Amino acid sequence: MAQAKINAKANEGRFCRSSSMADRSSRLLESLDQLELRVEALREAATAVEQEKEILLEMIHSIQNSQDMRQISDEREELNLTANRLMGRTLTVEVSVETIRNPQQQESLKHATRIIDEVVNKFLDDLGNAKSHLMSLYSACSSEVPHGPVDQKFQSIVIGCALEDQKKIKRRLETLLRNIENSDKAIKLLEHSKGAGSKTLQQNAESRFN
């Protein structure tokens, strides 16, 4: 009888310890789950800051190379100084979100980056063809129905990249296409202003002879 009581107490102690360990494990797991949410929120916030930095730099660069800036003479120097100051302050913001990749994803990223770099290097030689090539690369990254040809080879390479890298590749292509579009507009405005100037000179010359 006494031995039975001793065994019962021992079993009760083991049960309490097991229950206590299970409770601790459950609390720790819950804490880790909450921390995981905060970690992902931190990464998303840092990624948003990265994107905002890219957008600001692009906007400042666009203003510096805009047609309005070219047409201003008196205050251009002061405006450029302000733009350079803003550019410098923006560059002081350093945010880095590292993407975890396996060897295959790393190789796919290198391959995709190399293809885009090769197209960018052809800008000066053949801007029109380079733009068409970039559009086919962008279509390969888009989930929407493409409006033009899709580079199937590039698409298979991008699919092999990590999800975060896929988004970055798409953003880079969007930025490059916007820059080309802005360059085209600037060239057309410049050609229009030259054409209007030539027409005015011609009209002035004709009026002198009449």
Side-chain angles (χ1 to χ4, degrees):
M1 188 72 175
Q3 185 63 40
K5 290 182 178 180
I6 293 173
N7 291 338
K9 287 183 177 180
N11 290 333
E12 183 181 351
R14 283 197 296 270
F15 176 77
C16 289
R17 284 196 298 271
S18 299
S19 176
S20 177
M21 289 177 64
D23 289 342
R24 287 198 207 100
S25 177
S26 178
R27 286 196 300 270
L28 290 172
L29 182 59
E30 184 179 353
S31 297
L32 289 172
D33 287 341
Q34 292 175 354
L35 286 172
E36 183 175 13
L37 293 175
R38 293 179 63 180
V39 168
E40 291 307 312
L42 173 65
R43 288 178 61 85
E44 290 177 3
T47 300
V49 173
E50 272 189 328
Q51 295 177 18
E52 179 67 10
K53 178 181 177 181
E54 293 173 3
I55 292 171
L56 287 172
L57 291 173
E58 182 184 349
M59 291 175 67
I60 295 169
H61 182 74
S62 177
I63 289 174
Q64 285 181 311
N65 294 277
S66 66
Q67 184 70 11
D68 289 338
M69 183 69 82
R70 292 192 185 97
Q71 291 177 342
I72 293 174
S73 57
D74 296 337
E75 301 178 354
R76 184 190 302 175
E77 183 177 355
E78 183 179 351
L79 291 170
N80 271 321
L81 287 173
T82 302
N84 288 332
R85 178 176 59 80
L86 293 175
M87 182 82 73
R89 288 181 60 81
T90 306
L91 290 172
T92 61
V93 179
E94 292 290 342
V95 182
S96 178
V97 181
E98 297 296 331
T99 301
I100 300 174
R101 311 178 184 92
N102 60 37
Q104 180 182 354
Q105 291 172 333
Q106 183 71 36
E107 190 60 32
S108 295
L109 177 61
K110 288 181 180 179
H111 197 174
T113 302
R114 185 165 59 248
I115 290 174
I116 298 174
D117 289 342
E118 289 174 355
V119 178
V120 171
N121 290 333
K122 296 177 182 177
F123 276 4
L124 295 177
D125 298 330
D126 190 349
L127 183 60
N129 187 48
K131 180 180 179 180
S132 299
H133 196 172
L134 278 180
M135 291 181 69
S136 69
L137 298 182
Y138 177 75
S139 296
C141 301
S142 179
S143 58
E144 301 176 357
V145 177
H147 298 290
V150 177
D151 191 314
Q152 301 290 343
K153 180 181 178 181
F154 185 74
Q155 188 176 56
S156 64
I157 294 170
V158 173
I159 290 174
C161 296
L163 182 60
E164 291 178 357
D165 289 329
Q166 292 180 24
K167 294 177 181 178
K168 289 181 179 180
I169 289 170
K170 184 179 179 181
R171 287 204 308 272
R172 185 186 178 193
L173 290 169
E174 287 174 342
T175 299
L176 289 169
L177 286 170
R178 278 199 304 271
N179 289 340
I180 291 177
E181 187 67 25
N182 291 335
S183 297
D184 286 343
K185 289 179 180 178
I187 291 172
K188 288 177 181 178
L189 285 171
L190 183 61
E191 290 176 346
H192 177 74
S193 62
K194 286 182 177 179
S198 299
K199 185 176 181 180
T200 301
L201 289 173
Q202 183 179 357
Q203 289 175 345
N204 290 338
E206 290 174 353
S207 63
R208 289 176 184 173
F209 286 106
N210 290 335

